[in-house]
Amino acid sequence: MKKTRSRAGHDGPGAAGDPIESITRELLVRIGEDPAREGLRSTPGRVARSWRELTGGYEVDLKSLLNGAVFKAPDSDMVVVSDITFYSMCEHHLLPFFGRVHVAYIPGRRIIGLSKIPRLVAAFSRRLQVQERLTSQIACAVEETIDPEGVGVVIEARHLCMEMRGARSVCAPTKTSSMRGLFRTDARTRAEFLNLIGPSR
């Protein structure tokens, strides 16, 4: 179901009275900056526009996204779309995490148009997220849309909340997976998928 964000208090991105601009201006003051200085005068507006782009996934209607892109399956061979680049925002610290998504499924009676899988990844990643939930949401969406014999999703990501603060563990990627249907029950199917996206995984 499509989620609609409240846009009360402004007439559009960057408009006067935009609450995100006001909050950003206040944040600059709170950290000891002067939002009126030359380098920061336009920052609140830029931040407001940036946040609306980075969280645009809330506005995506998944049914409309996939409408017309589901077709009868010609066979039951594995379909793999790998190395899908994504960027998301960690809901715990509002800092970016980013990396690659690998999606595979074995058709039952239907397949999804290949271009829709990266768009599906973008729809879920352009929200406040945690990697574990993002992995599961992508797998669930594929499963609910075409009822395949199996779905596999692997995500590898770097989290700036770990690298810039806290543990400061630089270049330590986090890997998550969601294996459903044959990818969970059949070791050969799972191994074929993992081998196709890279043996180190």
Side-chain angles (χ1 to χ4, degrees):
M1 181 179 292
K2 178 179 177 180
K3 292 186 177 181
T4 303
R5 292 182 290 184
S6 172
R7 295 180 177 269
H10 64 89
D11 299 319
D18 186 323
I20 298 180
E21 285 195 36
S22 299
I23 291 167
T24 303
R25 196 171 289 108
E26 175 67 16
L27 175 63
L28 291 171
V29 172
R30 295 280 180 170
I31 65 173
E33 267 290 357
D34 176 10
R37 74 173 174 84
E38 183 178 5
L40 292 176
R41 285 175 196 160
S42 299
T43 295
R46 293 190 191 103
V47 170
R49 291 190 294 273
S50 177
W51 269 103
R52 291 195 168 84
E53 181 179 351
L54 294 172
T55 60
Y58 289 115
E59 302 294 336
V60 176
D61 185 328
L62 295 177
K63 288 185 178 179
S64 297
L65 173 67
L66 299 171
N67 186 36
V70 175
F71 311 98
K72 290 183 179 180
D75 51 47
S76 59
D77 292 335
M78 186 184 299
V79 177
V80 181
V81 182
S82 63
D83 294 303
I84 303 167
T85 300
F86 82 95
Y87 299 89
S88 193
M89 299 295 287
C90 167
E91 67 180 32
H92 297 146
H93 299 97
L94 301 186
L95 288 171
F97 69 98
F98 55 93
R100 296 179 296 173
V101 180
H102 313 280
V103 180
Y105 67 90
I106 296 177
R109 291 171 294 176
R110 296 176 291 174
I111 58 174
I112 302 175
L114 292 177
S115 68
K116 296 299 183 180
I117 294 179
R119 293 183 182 182
L120 188 65
V121 171
F124 285 119
S125 61
R126 291 175 186 167
R127 305 176 181 185
L128 298 185
Q129 278 287 12
V130 295
Q131 184 174 334
E132 297 88 340
R133 183 171 67 235
L134 176 60
T135 309
S136 178
Q137 285 178 329
I138 295 167
C140 184
V142 173
E143 194 171 45
E144 291 181 353
T145 300
I146 59 171
D147 190 25
E149 294 183 13
V151 181
V153 177
V154 172
I155 297 182
E156 306 169 78
R158 289 176 57 186
H159 294 249
L160 294 191
C161 60
M162 289 176 57
E163 297 189 17
M164 296 176 66
R165 56 160 302 282
R168 297 185 182 178
S169 180
V170 179
C171 294
T174 299
K175 301 179 183 181
T176 51
S177 69
S178 179
M179 303 291 176
R180 303 181 180 207
L182 288 178
F183 287 86
R184 177 180 288 275
T185 61
D186 187 340
R188 290 179 299 177
T189 298
R190 184 168 61 253
E192 179 183 352
F193 169 43
L194 296 176
N195 184 61
L196 285 170
I197 64 174
S200 64
R201 302 179 184 94

